Amino acid sequence: MAKRNKDNLSISELLQEFVDTNNLQTGLDKVNVRDAWAKMMGNGVNNYTTAIQLERDTLYVQLSSSVLREELSYGKEKIITMLNESLGKDVIKKLVLR
């Protein structure tokens, strides 16, 4: 680990250093995006969500309802903004509804 003075590091700083050292951020982002989608969209949308996949900066969401897919497609930019706000950083640049 880069920092030697461990006495002055908080738990969150140590965890972030561990995540950075072991290149775990991408995996954490994938998990966090799924959680953010589930919380933000609620049961109504989650019941029709069959898969969520984050590849680089694109979020792919598979929905079992074509009507819901069409409805959500009108608010893609707002969904992206809300998810990124929930994550606390710009992880998603593009949303693809399938």
Side-chain angles (χ1 to χ4, degrees):
M1 292 189 181
K3 295 180 183 172
R4 292 286 175 222
N5 190 358
K6 300 294 180 224
D7 295 336
N8 295 332
L9 290 177
S10 69
I11 296 289
S12 63
E13 288 171 324
L14 284 172
L15 284 172
Q16 189 59 52
E17 193 171 306
F18 178 79
V19 165
D20 293 343
T21 303
N22 295 287
N23 297 320
L24 301 175
Q25 194 59 54
T26 303
L28 285 174
D29 286 343
K30 289 179 181 182
V31 171
N32 291 338
V33 164
R34 285 189 193 110
D35 289 345
W37 177 269
K39 279 187 219 158
M40 192 177 87
M41 295 312 221
N43 287 339
V45 174
N46 287 322
N47 289 337
Y48 294 102
T49 302
T50 56
I52 300 172
Q53 188 172 359
L54 180 65
E55 289 181 21
R56 290 188 272 303
D57 59 1
T58 303
L59 181 63
Y60 297 91
V61 179
Q62 186 135 10
L63 299 164
S64 60
S65 167
S66 58
V67 174
L68 180 60
R69 184 170 47 250
E70 183 72 22
E71 198 67 33
L72 291 178
S73 70
Y74 296 117
K76 278 186 184 180
E77 289 304 315
K78 185 175 181 184
I79 292 170
I80 291 169
T81 301
M82 290 171 65
L83 285 170
N84 282 332
E85 282 176 8
S86 176
L87 295 166
K89 59 182 177 174
D90 285 344
V91 175
I92 304 162
K93 303 262 187 274
K94 186 177 175 188
L95 175 61
V96 176
L97 302 172
R98 298 176 169 167

